[in-house]
Amino acid sequence: MIRIETAENAGFCFGVRRAVEIAEKAAEIHGKVFTLGELIHNEAAVEDLHKKGVCAVNSVDEAAGEVLIIRSHGVPKSEKEKANRLCKAVFDATCPYVAKIHGIVGGLSENGSVIVLGDENHPEVVGIMGNSSPKAFAAKSFEEVEDLFNSGAIGENDEVSLVVQTTFDRERFLDISQRIREKYPRVQIYSTICNATAERQESARELAGRAALMVVVGGKSSSNTKRLAEICREYTKTVFVTNAAQMPEQIAKNLPADCVVGITAGASTPGYIIKEVHQIMNEEIKTTNENEEDFASLLEQDQSFTRLYTGKRVKATIVSVSKKEAVVEVGAKQTGYIVREELTNDPNAEVEDIVKPGDVIDAVVIKVDDNVGTVALSKKRVDAALGLEKLQAVKDANETIEGKVAQVVKGGVIVIYENTRVFIPGSHTGIPRGGKLEDLVGKTVKFKIIEVSNERGGRVVGSIRQANKEVRDAAKAKFWETIEVGQKFEGEVRSIENYGVFVDIGAVDGLVHTADLTWNRVGHPKDIVKVGDKITVIVKSFDPEKKRVSLSAKDPEDNPWTKFVSEYKKGDVIKATIVSITEFGAFAQIIPGVDGLIHISQISTERVANIASVLTVGQEVDVKIIEIDEERERVSLSIRALSEDAEPAEEATEE
Ligand code: F3S
C-alpha cells in the first residue's frame, strides 16, 4: 500500500499565515486593501490575493486614503505613525515574534545602544531599528560588532543590548554570541531567533528519511524551498514542483508496493497548492495500485522473508567486506549492502576497520530497490541517533571527551566521537584566528559538548577551547593551593618591560623586577634576556587575591654579599672601581654584585665641591672599608682615611 503524508510544518509559517488571513479578512470587509510590500514571495499566491482585493504598494504615500496592511516583517515606528495619519485604516500584521523584538528594543533606556544581528537591508531589521529607543546598529558578524566598539560608535559606558533577526542562522548566532559574551560581557543578549524555518526543515528531513519519494512544492526562486529540496534529496528520490500542474506523469510508477510518499512545501506556498499536489499524487497512486495489485498480493502472501521499507531498523549480519562496502544479510529477499559512507562518518576510516564478516550490527533501511533486488542500509544513522542521546548525557554532565579530528569544513572542523560527527566551530578549536585548522586533522583532541539538537538530522557542537580552559583553570587552582615562597620554577620569558620581565611558570605569568634578574648591575632587562629564553626563577612573594607572583632569577648560592662578608672585613684596604657618581658621593664596585659608597666627605682631606673633578667612572682607586652594615647589606668606603692613616707615620719620622 502506498501512503501519502504531508510534512508537519509544510508551507506558511505561523506569522505569514496570520498576515495572509488578516489581509484577506480586511479585503472582505473593505473590498480592496494594500500591503506595504508583497505579503509573500509566490507568484500564484500573489495573483490569488490580487483577485481577492489584496494589492501591494511600495510606500505609505501610495496607500494614502486607503486601507493598509503592515506585513509580518513589521515597520519602523515612524512609518506606522505616518500610516495612521495618512490611511483610512491600518491593520498591523507584524508577526508576534517580530513584535516581541520591537517591545524589547522599545523598552530599553535611551542612553544605551542596541545591536541588531542581521542584514541591515532586510525589512525586518529596518523595522526593529526603527522601533528602538536607544541608538541602534545592524551587524552581520562578530567582526562588525567589534568595529562598533573599536570605532567608538558604541560608547564606553553605554548599556549595550543585542537582539537577532528572527531568520538568522542559528549556528552563526551561537558562535557570535559566545564570542561577544567572552569579549564584551556587559552586552545583554536576547535570543530572538524564530524556530519556524528549522522546524520546517526538520519535519521534511524526518519524512524524507521514511519516504520512497518526496514532492517539494514551492517557487523555484525561493531559497528556503530549494533548501528543503536539497535536504530531501540527501535521503530519498525527490521531485521539486511549483504547483500541481508541474507534477510529472506516472510519478507513482516503480514505487515499492508498500511505501510512503512525502509532501513538503516552502514558507511561501499556500495551503491550497499543497492540497492540489496531494490530490494529483493520490490519483496517480490509485492508478498504479490497481495495476500492481496482483503482484503486491503475491508478495503479501510470502511470509518467509522480512518485509523491508525505508526507515525500518534491522539486525544485519556482515557477510563480506570490500574497500567500498559491506554486504549484509537481513533475512529479506533482497541483498543488503552498506556503502563505506553509510558505515562511518570518518572519511579516513576503511570498511575493514569498522566491521568484519560475522559481525551483527544495527542498521536502518535507506532504500529498497525491488527492480534489482537490493536494499541499501546505513549503520551510521543508527549510531548517530544513539550518539545524540549519549552526547546529550555528556553535555548534561559537563564531561570532557576525546575524539579524532576527521576533516576541516566550512567554519570549523569535524571530530568523530563513536561514529557521531561533532562540529567544532573555528573559534572553539583553540587555534588562533588566521591559524591553520588543517593542523588538527588526524589529531585526537579533548573537547566539551556545548549543543545537541535534533535539527538537520541531529547536530552536535563541541568546544576544544572550553576543555582547554577547564584544564588551565584546574592547573591555576592547584598552583595557588601549592605555591610557596622559595619555590623554584623553570619558566619561559613571555615579555620584556622597562621595569622587568614576565615569566610563564605554567599556570600564571610572574614578574621578575629588573633588580631581581641578576646579582650584577643591569641597564635594561633586554640586555640580560630575550623573549622565549628559559630561565630558573624562585618565588619571592605572591598575592592569591590579585593573582600576582613576584619572582627572582638570582640564585641564592651565588649571592655576592655572602662572598664579600666571608672575604672582607672592616679596616681592609682594597682596590675598587668607580661605577657611578652622585651628588652625595661615588659608588665603587668591590666585587661583581657588591658596591660600596665613598661619601663626598670621605673622598679627600680637602673639601670636594665637584666629585666629577676628582673621580671618574671606570677609575680604579685604593679605598679603606670603614663600615659594613650586614643587615642592610651596605658598605662604606673611604679614600680620605688612607691619607689620615698615613699622616701620623710621617710626623713620627720627622720627630
Ligand atoms: Fe514566520 Fe514570524 Fe517566524 S513571520 S519565520 S513565524 S518570525
Side-chain angles (χ1 to χ4, degrees), residues 382-415:
V382 174
D383 292 345
L386 296 173
L388 280 190
E389 281 171 29
K390 193 164 180 184
L391 288 168
Q392 181 64 54
V394 167
K395 177 176 181 284
D396 294 344
N398 192 29
E399 281 175 34
T400 298
I401 50 176
E402 263 186 20
K404 202 175 194 183
V405 178
Q407 64 187 124
V408 175
V409 292
K410 193 176 165 209
V413 297
I414 297 293
V415 176

Side-chain angles (χ1 to χ4, degrees), residues 12-17 72-73 93-98 101 124 166-167 192-197 200 267:
F12 286 172
C13 64
F14 154 74
V16 171
R17 186 179 303 117
S72 56
H73 302 104
T94 304
C95 174
Y97 294 126
V98 178
I101 308 178
E124 181 190 320
T166 53
T167 47
T192 50
I193 288 182
C194 166
N195 281 334
T197 307
R200 188 182 307 106

